[in-house]
Amino acid sequence: MINEKPRVRFAPSPTGYLHVGGLRTALYNFLYAKHYGGKFILRIEDTDRNRYVEGAVENLIDSLKWCGLDFDEGPGKDGEYAPYMQSERLNIYLKYAEELISKGKAYYAFDTPDRLAKLKEEQTARKEQSKYDKLALTLSQEEIKNKLDAGEPFVIRLNVTPGQRVIVDDVIRGRVEFNTDIVDDQILIKSDGYPTYHMANVVDDHLMKITHVIRGEEWLSSTPKHVLLYEFLGWEIPVFAHLPLLLNPDKSKLSKRQGDVAVEDYRAKGYLKEALVNFVALLGWNAGDDKEFYNFEELINNFSLERVNKSGAVFNVEKLDWLNGEHIRSKTALEILPLFKEELDNSIYKDHNFSDEHLLKIIDAMKERIIFIRELIEKSPYFFEAPNLYEEKAVQKRWKPETPDELKKLLSEFEKIDSSSKEDFENALHKSAEELGIGNGKLIHPVRLAVSGSSTGPGIFDLLHILGKEEVILRIKTALEKINN
Ligand code: GLU
């Protein structure tokens, strides 16, 4: 495997949406492949027909693509190892199960569901691990043939010899040893002829020349079965890396009950894909320093499996929020513009036609103050329409008996400026304050209130500049009429 470019895969069972844990698995695979110039493969593990969900695969691919995780091979793409949907590969698996039977490493079993249920019941009563009792191995070749000829339903099971050691070398966990006493004679082919996850997974990883199996910790306990399958079939064992669990802040396993787990939920909430990917990358990995802000390139350059932790990773939404703000700030106004327009199209201002120039100025003035793009609208509605209301508290605090006269003076200076540049507004305001013999603040607060209805926002001269001379004059006049009346 030395000098070989890695081939890694994300192998989800389509459940209808992409779980953030799935995104983390996909991302680590993707980063690993890109870091080493290898291939990232998407394989859909849809052999459980009871779990079929309409549109699930499309949805999953959509979410992956939105995050920027484009796969090199997978459904809808031609690849040397197609098809990439296990339901389209069903004829492949039986052959290998039969090979295992011929080697004595698997066997036909004809147990009725009733017998298996009873067996389980008895084992539970004895406080034993529930395991198949290998009864089918007592059948003679002839008995097996007769049953098969008679069309009796059967499964094919893995023949695990008890009392053996199975070693799993894991990049993240080191050497993990299992005793085969606890490994069940796993069903490989079900009575409906479909392979189980274990069978299809190993066969496909082999046929698709997967070099590294990077997946969630919940699969570690299945790995001894996989290792046995590789050994029995005489195949090279891939490198394993089992990623730590994702936890809620209370250290319980991340679940739907505590909040959103689907990538599409985060997308709908207005998180940037860059922030979500950055956040998810840090769920179990760091580069060995305090750096937390990463763009895609940096993640690819810095990622390594060796630096993935064993212990569970806490899913902390506050950090995601912080990263979202950071990623917004790392973008230029031009990059933010289309995202901003999308939000405007979904807002009450969708029918207004704001110029790009106006919107770009708003972005520049507000970008430091937001966590979500939609806050460009929510936090500064005054850029889109004149205020109807004036913040009550600010009026009480800032609107003194002398304010109207002072503002009238300011108004007369504003009327004289010939552009809406920040400098012109600034000079006019300073001049008014000076001639009135008052501090600038005595004008700045009331004029902010007058033009925006609010006591907070971007710098006052940014605000005036963005609104423009005419609008500012109009709004001051309106405020002079409305406030105190
Ligand atoms: N189909 C399994 C899942 O849904 C894949 C596990 C693996 O990567 O082997 O997660």
Side-chain angles (χ1 to χ4, degrees), residues 178-213:
F178 295 86
N179 189 299
T180 52
D181 285 352
I182 60 156
V183 182
D184 193 11
D185 279 5
Q186 177 63 50
I187 294 179
L188 303 176
I189 303 288
K190 296 179 273 188
S191 56
D192 61 5
Y194 276 56
T196 54
Y197 152 72
H198 308 278
M199 183 67 188
N201 187 270
V202 166
V203 168
D204 284 345
D205 279 346
H206 171 72
L207 294 180
M208 294 180 181
K209 300 213 163 54
I210 299 303
T211 57
H212 297 66
V213 169

Side-chain angles (χ1 to χ4, degrees), residues 7 9 64 107 157 181 198 214 267 277 375 411 427 441:
R7 288 178 54 81
R9 82 314 190 260
L64 282 177
Y107 57 88
R157 286 183 180 272
D181 285 352
H198 308 278
I214 304 168
R267 181 180 179 180
V277 164
E375 290 177 333
L411 200 55
N427 291 336

Side-chain angles (χ1 to χ4, degrees), residues 330-343:
S330 77
K331 286 182 182 289
T332 64
L334 264 180
E335 286 169 334
I336 296 175
L337 186 63
L339 304 170
F340 186 11
K341 284 183 173 174
E342 226 173 87
E343 292 290 350

